Amino acid sequence: MTSKIDGAMYDLHHIDALASRDTGINRIYSPVKLMVTVMYIALVMSFSKYDIAGLAGMFVYPAAMFILGDISFRDTLRRIRAVLPLICIIGIFNPLLDRSVIQIGAFAVRGGAVSMATLILKGFYTVLAAYLLAATCSAERICLALEILHVPRMIVTQIMLMYRYIFLFLGEVGRISQAYALRAPGQKGIHFKAWGALVGQLLLRSIDRAGRVYESMLLRGFNGSFSVFRQKERLRLRDAAFGSFWAAVLILFRSVPVVVEVGNAVTASFGAR
């Protein structure tokens, strides 16, 4: 269990390290990146349950972000592997509930299978977009973007503190697990009889540590705003161009089945020969 907690801590620190790099995509104005991500997720979710061909073309945005941000697709899949089964479970009953038959080209396909694939693809794209935003924009800058977009300060502060307290919580879980393992050598996992006591200790220790962290933040001048980061964030021409370009591309891919059109053009070119 301790190794899993250490792995989770490592993954969170790795995402923080990716977000803190000084690359071109990381320097994009954070509200622009946030709005593009929200727009992308909204457009992905707007596809009909049978429009898998049109939805396939929406991979253009994650693919570009992987390339521009120099982010490993393989490592990304490894880090979101815990979410992938949940995404698959969401649509697993569609083939049983939807028995309609739809025509895809020259093939007749069960509508339930297509809607299941579409739903899984939507969930996968959504998780990818959220991960890429976190990997190219730190938690502080995301919260700053929310503040600039006039999200209530209370909500922004809650998001920021929840993210930071994840590290604290995982650290406490790791220490409690290690202490239990030292007192029960050779035992696999934690015995169910000790769950209640350990959860209570975890709650009390986490609240105590969280209180000390918050007091330290107040002593350092924290007042719920992100004025320090605001001084570094400026909307520049390239940021506006980035947002305008991706807004146009995403709307194009949502309005026109680009993958189908490209496939028809390629087929026509080979047929002409």
Side-chain angles (χ1 to χ4, degrees), residues 27-207:
R27 289 193 296 268
I28 295 294
Y29 191 51
S30 55
V32 171
K33 271 193 292 190
L34 179 61
M35 288 189 292
V36 170
T37 302
V38 172
M39 179 182 180
Y40 173 77
I41 293 174
L43 291 176
V44 163
M45 298 306 293
S46 70
F47 278 87
S48 68
K49 62 181 180 179
Y50 298 135
D51 193 6
I52 191 169
L55 188 60
M58 296 299 285
F59 188 69
V60 62
Y61 176 69
M65 292 294 286
F66 278 117
I67 296 171
L68 295 174
D70 191 22
I71 300 171
S72 170
F73 182 68
R74 181 179 178 181
D75 288 345
T76 300
L77 290 180
R78 184 178 63 81
R79 290 191 168 86
I80 66 173
R81 65 187 182 277
V83 185
L84 296 181
L86 299 177
I87 296 174
C88 295
I89 290 173
I90 292 174
I92 197 170
F93 294 108
N94 280 36
L96 301 177
L97 301 175
D98 187 354
R99 298 180 178 274
S100 61
V101 178
I102 62 173
Q103 198 74 20
I104 299 181
F107 301 97
V109 185
R110 291 287 293 271
V114 176
S115 63
M116 180 185 70
T118 302
L119 193 59
I120 291 173
L121 204 55
K122 285 181 179 181
F124 180 62
Y125 284 171
T126 301
V127 172
L128 273 186
Y131 177 86
L132 289 169
L133 176 64
T136 57
C137 194
S138 64
E140 292 84 1
R141 293 182 63 206
I142 293 175
C143 289
L144 172 62
L146 293 172
E147 186 180 84
I148 293 174
L149 296 174
H150 301 290
V151 175
R153 178 173 294 183
M154 181 180 296
I155 297 177
V156 176
T157 303
Q158 287 294 325
I159 294 173
M160 183 71 234
L161 294 180
M162 284 176 60
Y163 179 78
R164 287 306 170 197
Y165 285 171
I166 288 175
F167 296 92
L168 191 152
F169 177 77
L170 289 176
E172 291 296 338
V173 172
R175 280 186 284 273
I176 289 176
S177 301
Q178 187 175 23
Y180 182 87
L182 292 174
R183 288 168 174 77
Q187 181 176 316
K188 294 183 179 180
I190 299 175
H191 197 276
F192 74 92
K193 292 183 179 179
W195 288 359
L198 292 182
V199 169
Q201 286 291 325
L202 175 62
L203 177 63
L204 294 175
R205 292 178 59 155
S206 298
I207 291 175

Side-chain angles (χ1 to χ4, degrees), residues 228-249:
V228 175
F229 297 95
R230 187 185 289 268
Q231 296 173 2
K232 302 177 182 178
E233 290 280 336
R234 292 289 185 274
L235 179 61
R236 293 156 294 188
L237 181 60
R238 67 175 185 180
D239 303 321
F242 175 88
S244 302
F245 172 79
W246 279 112
V249 169

